[in-house]
Amino acid sequence: MASLGRAFMRRSNSYDVVKLQEEIKKRASSFFQNDLVPRLLPGERVVTEADSVLCFVPFTERKQGISGKLFITNFKLTFLTGDRSSYEKESKRQRNKVIDDGDIPLTNIESIYQVVSGGKRKKLLPNTTVSTVTKYLEIYSKDFRTHVFGFKFSPKDQIKKITNAVIHYAYPNKSYLLYAFEYAKTLQTPENGTVSNTPLYDSPVDWERELKRCGCTKWTVCDVNKGYCVSQSMPERFVLPMNLMSYDELMKAASQFNENRLPAWCYTHTSGASLVRMAEMFAESELADYVGNLSSEMYIRTYCNRLRTAIQLADVNKGYPVDMDLMKLCPSLKDVQAAYEKLKELVFVDSGKDFVVHDISWMSSLEGTKWLTCVSQCLKTATDAAKHLERHTVIIKEPDSRHFCCLISSLVQILLDRHFRTRLGFQSLIQREWVAMGYPFQREGCLVQDLNRTNNEYIPLFLLFLDCVWQLMEQYPSAFAFSETYLVTLWDSVHMGIFETFLFDCCHQRSRYHIDGRWQQRFCLPSVWDWHMQFSDDDQSFFNNPLYIMQTHPDICDALRKSKPCQPSQHHKISKKLYSYELQNIEGVDFCSEGMKSEKISRSELTPLTGAACMKLWSQCYIRWQTPAQIIGGGNPSQYLQQCVMVEEILCLLHKIEVLKKNNAKSANSLTRTRSDLVFSMALDTPRTTELLTNSYLTSSFPFSSIQRLSREEKAVFTPISLFLEHSNIDYDYSNDED
């Protein structure tokens, strides 16, 4: 009886332990799971969700993850966890007001892979349904980030629902299925924190202002396409030569160009020559069917000659225009697409083993992608066009004038005009040459799956343009008012999916959309150029370039001018002679006998090196999420912050000098130091600045990846930016400087 009693007691204790464990598990699940609710935007709704999902930490071989809930809404895929320590680790980075750290906009999803039991991996295509249970779900986004979710502990019915929901909402086959249209219905006016100063080129005033800025007197704003009656892919208003043709003649002339796209003005150089974009003309056989009895050859010659004559007369030099066929000079769209696919294979890595394998043959693999070759070709074409513009009007041509014409015309203007190297000028350039002139962001960005297209692959032409701009910034660090962080953030914003700037194929589609043969009212969507909608002033301070401020800030420039000696030193004379000798050996540049530049070449123009050997990989954009490739305590962010410190110290010293010049305290107190709008122009007690000045260690991916906190042993190895700041003179609040 005693043994039976003891056995019963052991069984009871075992039962109590199991019951206690189940209760603990239930309470933990309640704590970590049930109270999690995603933050929703207007018009956003939760489609489905899955419990007990593991979000794996990259480069841990899927052995370390965070448990939480995975939600699918009509706007994003979002992962939430009750483990607050994970949020703390990721808090020291760029913060977006629209999306959280665990959010992936559906328009940002590049590809989806399903891994089932046994390790079989399958790419999930649009318009497919998954019936097998998913073990891992791999999400590859267009910002080159990899997200892996595990469903080992999730209910099977939830796994199938969430897998199919991702496929359905990430690959819509109609434009009105995009979340942006639901979002727009909730907005009466664009949801802007502040009104952006960037011109949208939706009114003649914007075009006329740009013509006036360029000093154009031979060109005029034309509304021949009002109501999109000529071409639906062109804006209602664009610029044509004065006294070109009558309205009827323009209508007839447009019919001979692809998509009825008439030649359009892009830019006028200080030499008086202009840059013009032109679509391909129809073949003579097609024109013969259109014009009937009239000889097709005569039809082509008549209108082509009249257009060329009008463009030639608009050039003050009256020189014959230079034709540049971009189909021969630039890489083909297929080449760009193929290079991008190979580049993705190289940078989409989330395993330490794969990283080591790629690292062994990194240089040869990078060369094999041909991506930098595409960048080099585009820069060379733009540089050649810029040289021609010094003497002749240039006509850049391609079949539809909607792809490489956007890229090359933008690069040419950046090379020739310093205005387009400021944030406002750069944004207005993109708005005019890409958005207004009809670059198909929706189609080439695969935001909507076109069932009639045989190829729905992503064409990253806008990324190629941004990469070209970054290459110019590398060669001319002080020539641009914005930083590479601004460029990367702009690239990320392209795929946000709620900004009208990058959501449509043309102005006509942007103004209205079509459902079941009925025209719906125009939507009010925000512009991407209102950065306050996404970022605080603190985060936007990283968009500014301290080296550009050194070149353009009036107080700093005046101080540097006064600090120069009246009589140049012998060293200065020798340096000037060597510089002149180098300039004389630059091919295609004319100099006088003394080695100075000719008057025809502006000092603000850029003449970059375009050879493939001069091209670099844009690390902050492509490999910012690869933890093993991040430099702890160094890289470009470290240099950038030190440059910010230098600018602040100069402004502070100048302010102190002005204070000391004042004879009385009252006059001194009235002086206020000008702000640089850089990161350290904020008060030092703000959260962001405090993080930068404590024991936090920057990585080369800052501010996109988190700041790393190292162990005591690792601190002795690396030199953080904080040590530099501790020995600098910015140990006080510059914004409230009281002398």
Side-chain angles (χ1 to χ4, degrees):
M1 291 294 294
S3 61
L4 288 175
R6 287 193 296 270
F8 178 77
M9 290 296 294
R10 285 196 299 269
R11 189 176 303 174
S12 299
N13 292 336
S14 176
Y15 175 78
D16 291 339
V17 169
V18 172
K19 189 174 181 180
L20 179 61
Q21 290 176 344
E22 291 179 350
E23 182 66 21
I24 293 174
K25 185 177 180 181
K26 182 178 179 181
R27 291 186 179 184
S29 176
S30 175
F31 177 77
F32 282 101
Q33 303 280 335
N34 296 341
D35 295 335
L36 299 176
V37 179
R39 181 170 62 93
L40 302 178
L41 296 177
E44 185 181 4
R45 67 182 187 280
V46 176
V47 175
T48 188
E49 60 189 66
D51 299 324
S52 304
V53 177
L54 290 175
C55 178
F56 291 102
V57 178
F59 300 97
T60 60
E61 313 306 318
R62 300 183 184 179
K63 296 179 180 179
Q64 181 180 349
I66 304 170
S67 179
K69 260 189 175 183
L70 187 64
F71 296 86
I72 301 293
T73 74
N74 56 338
F75 168 51
K76 62 180 181 284
L77 182 152
T78 182
F79 177 81
L80 295 177
T81 177
D83 183 2
R84 307 312 300 179
S85 62
S86 63
Y87 293 134
E88 182 181 355
K89 292 178 183 178
E90 292 292 328
S91 63
K92 302 172 184 65
R93 49 171 294 188
Q94 189 185 61
R95 308 293 296 184
N96 195 302
K97 298 178 183 179
V98 178
I99 58 174
D100 297 322
D101 292 338
D103 296 344
I104 312 170
L106 297 173
T107 49
N108 190 30
I109 293 179
E110 172 82 20
S111 56
I112 308 169
Y113 284 85
Q114 177 198 35
V115 180
V116 298
S117 297
K120 186 177 180 181
R121 188 169 177 264
K122 175 185 177 182
K123 184 176 182 179
L124 302 180
L125 301 175
N127 303 311
T128 58
T129 303
V130 173
S131 57
T132 56
V133 177
T134 303
K135 183 178 181 180
Y136 302 120
L137 194 65
E138 301 174 355
I139 307 292
Y140 296 90
S141 54
K142 295 170 185 174
D143 60 357
F144 303 101
R145 193 174 187 178
T146 304
H147 310 262
V148 182
F149 301 99
F151 299 94
K152 182 178 181 180
F153 305 104
S154 303
K156 292 183 178 180
D157 58 331
Q158 291 184 354
I159 299 174
K160 291 182 179 180
K161 285 182 180 180
I162 206 157
T163 304
N164 288 310
V166 172
I167 301 172
H168 177 74
Y169 284 92
Y171 301 130
N173 54 21
K174 298 291 183 181
S175 61
Y176 61 83
L177 295 178
L178 291 168
Y179 162 71
F181 295 99
E182 295 296 328
Y183 179 59
K185 291 176 183 178
T186 65
L187 304 178
Q188 297 298 324
T189 57
E191 189 175 299
N192 294 340
T194 59
V195 178
S196 173
N197 293 325
T198 304
L200 301 181
Y201 291 95
D202 55 356
S203 68
V205 177
D206 295 335
W207 293 96
E208 291 168 356
R209 186 184 296 113
E210 182 61 20
L211 284 175
K212 183 178 180 181
R213 194 193 67 82
C214 292
C216 296
T217 57
K218 303 286 186 177
W219 299 82
T220 185
V221 181
C222 178
D223 61 351
V224 65
N225 197 35
K226 189 174 182 180
Y228 308 99
C229 59
V230 177
S231 174
Q232 292 189 356
S233 63
M234 292 193 75
E236 287 189 286
R237 300 170 185 86
F238 52 95
V239 177
L240 289 173
M242 282 187 173
N243 304 319
L244 177 60
M245 296 178 184
S246 66
Y247 178 81
D248 292 336
E249 289 177 324
L250 281 174
M251 293 287 287
K252 292 178 181 178
S255 64
Q256 63 184 297
F257 292 96
N258 190 7
E259 297 186 18
N260 293 347
R261 291 178 66 90
L262 286 164
W265 171 88
C266 298
Y267 175 71
T268 296
H269 189 245
T270 53
S271 65
S274 297
L275 181 66
V276 181
R277 62 197 295 169
M278 181 183 291
E280 191 178 69
M281 299 179 67
F282 287 124
E284 293 184 12
S285 58
E286 298 177 7
L287 279 172
D289 297 335
Y290 176 80
V291 299
N293 297 328
L294 185 62
S295 168
S296 61
E297 184 177 355
M298 184 181 299
Y299 189 89
I300 292 174
R301 186 180 296 115
T302 300
Y303 283 104
C304 185
N305 289 342
R306 293 190 64 179
L307 282 169
R308 282 187 164 276
T309 301
I311 293 173
Q312 183 178 352
L313 291 175
D315 185 352
V316 296
N317 302 314
K318 302 297 185 295
Y320 199 74
V322 176
D323 287 346
M324 297 186 68
D325 188 352
L326 300 186
M327 297 302 295
K328 298 177 181 179
L329 300 172
C330 295
S332 66
L333 292 177
K334 289 185 178 180
D335 290 339
V336 174
Q337 193 178 69
Y340 176 70
E341 292 297 323
K342 292 179 181 179
L343 180 66
K344 287 194 304 181
E345 294 177 5
L346 188 63
V347 301
F348 271 133
V349 178
D350 71 330
S351 166
K353 295 180 181 178
D354 293 340
F355 179 85
V356 172
V357 171
H358 282 73
D359 188 63
I360 295 173
S361 58
W362 174 263
M363 299 304 296
S364 59
S365 299
L366 178 60
E367 182 184 2
T369 65
K370 303 296 182 183
W371 177 257
L372 294 182
T373 302
C374 294
V375 175
S376 174
Q377 285 181 262
C378 292
L379 280 174
K380 185 180 186 307
T381 303
T383 303
D384 292 342
K387 289 180 181 178
H388 287 309
L389 266 179
E390 294 169 5
R391 296 178 178 86
H392 305 283
T393 288
V394 176
I395 300 176
I396 52 176
K397 300 188 298 184
E398 69 171 329
D400 59 1
S401 74
R402 299 179 65 185
H403 290 83
F404 282 103
C405 277
C406 302
L407 192 154
I408 298 302
S409 64
S410 299
L411 288 179
V412 169
Q413 295 174 66
I414 291 172
L415 291 174
L416 295 177
D417 197 330
R418 68 175 64 189
H419 169 68
F420 299 116
R421 295 173 222 144
T422 65
R423 269 178 62 183
L424 179 61
F426 186 72
Q427 292 173 178
S428 66
L429 179 67
I430 294 174
Q431 188 70 33
R432 172 163 50 87
E433 294 297 328
W434 292 79
V435 181
M437 294 307 295
Y439 178 76
F441 282 101
Q442 185 178 116
R443 185 180 70 199
E444 308 301 16
C446 296
L447 301 181
V448 176
Q449 299 297 311
D450 190 348
L451 301 179
N452 298 322
R453 289 181 66 189
T454 56
N455 183 12
N456 274 314
E457 293 296 327
Y458 189 81
I459 300 179
L461 207 61
F462 190 70
L463 174 63
L464 183 62
F465 163 67
L466 295 179
D467 200 328
C468 290
V469 176
W470 181 80
Q471 302 290 342
L472 294 176
M473 293 174 65
E474 283 292 287
Q475 296 190 31
Y476 299 94
S478 62
F480 292 82
F482 46 84
S483 64
E484 69 168 328
T485 298
Y486 168 79
L487 289 182
V488 177
T489 305
L490 178 59
W491 171 243
D492 292 345
S493 300
V494 171
H495 312 107
M496 190 71 69
I498 61 173
F499 302 112
E500 69 166 10
T501 312
F502 303 121
L503 197 62
F504 301 98
D505 288 340
C506 56
C507 294
H508 177 257
Q509 187 189 40
R510 186 172 295 104
S511 63
R512 58 184 67 183
Y513 78 108
H514 194 261
I515 303 177
D516 298 331
R518 299 191 304 271
W519 290 104
Q520 302 295 319
Q521 66 179 359
R522 179 175 179 175
F523 285 137
C524 291
L525 285 169
S527 170
V528 74
W529 310 127
D530 179 18
W531 292 107
H532 286 88
M533 182 177 174
Q534 293 190 73
F535 303 104
S536 65
D537 291 336
D538 201 9
D539 278 315
Q540 289 185 62
S541 65
F542 285 102
F543 293 172
N544 301 321
N545 181 7
L547 296 181
Y548 180 84
I549 294 176
M550 288 281 291
Q551 294 279 350
T552 59
H553 197 287
D555 294 341
I556 297 178
C557 290
D558 185 60
L560 292 175
R561 181 180 57 81
K562 293 179 180 179
S563 65
K564 291 182 179 179
C566 298
Q567 295 295 329
S569 62
Q570 188 66 22
H571 173 74
H572 178 74
K573 292 179 180 179
I574 296 174
S575 299
K576 187 175 181 180
K577 288 182 179 180
L578 290 173
Y579 177 68
S580 300
Y581 175 78
E582 292 175 359
L583 291 178
Q584 288 177 2
N585 287 276
I586 297 177
E587 183 181 356
V589 180
D590 297 330
F591 298 93
C592 58
S593 59
E594 296 181 1
M596 299 301 291
K597 282 191 174 183
S598 63
E599 293 181 0
K600 291 185 178 180
I601 301 176
S602 171
R603 292 179 180 271
S604 65
E605 296 177 7
L606 305 181
T607 54
L609 299 176
T610 60
C614 303
M615 301 296 105
K616 302 177 182 179
L617 181 69
W618 188 6
S619 299
Q620 193 186 52
C621 182
Y622 301 129
I623 59 175
R624 51 184 152 148
W625 309 116
Q626 294 190 15
T627 306
Q630 294 177 4
I631 305 171
I632 307 299
N636 286 345
S638 177
Q639 297 180 27
Y640 173 83
L641 291 174
Q642 292 182 26
Q643 292 162 4
C644 293
V645 169
M646 178 176 62
V647 173
E648 293 301 327
E649 289 189 339
I650 292 175
L651 290 175
C652 178
L653 290 173
L654 291 175
H655 177 65
K656 286 180 177 291
I657 292 173
E658 292 299 320
V659 170
L660 293 173
K661 287 180 179 179
K662 297 295 181 180
N663 295 326
N664 55 74
K666 185 177 181 181
S667 300
N669 293 332
S670 63
L671 291 175
T672 57
R673 190 176 72 84
T674 56
R675 291 173 57 89
S676 66
D677 291 328
L678 295 172
V679 58
F680 294 118
S681 65
M682 308 296 178
L684 288 189
D685 56 356
T686 59
R688 171 59 56 83
T689 309
T690 302
E691 291 167 356
L692 295 177
L693 299 180
T694 55
N695 294 325
S696 300
Y697 284 69
L698 299 178
T699 74
S700 55
S701 298
F702 180 81
F704 297 99
S705 67
S706 60
I707 298 176
Q708 301 292 329
R709 289 186 176 275
L710 307 180
S711 64
R712 185 169 300 176
E713 293 77 11
E714 291 173 308
K715 288 182 181 180
V717 178
F718 301 105
T719 303
I721 184 66
S722 59
L723 291 181
F724 170 83
L725 298 175
E726 287 175 4
H727 294 88
S728 68
N729 292 328
I730 62 161
D731 54 345
Y732 57 89
D733 187 345
Y734 281 121
S735 61
N736 297 313
D737 190 14
E738 296 180 358
D739 298 285

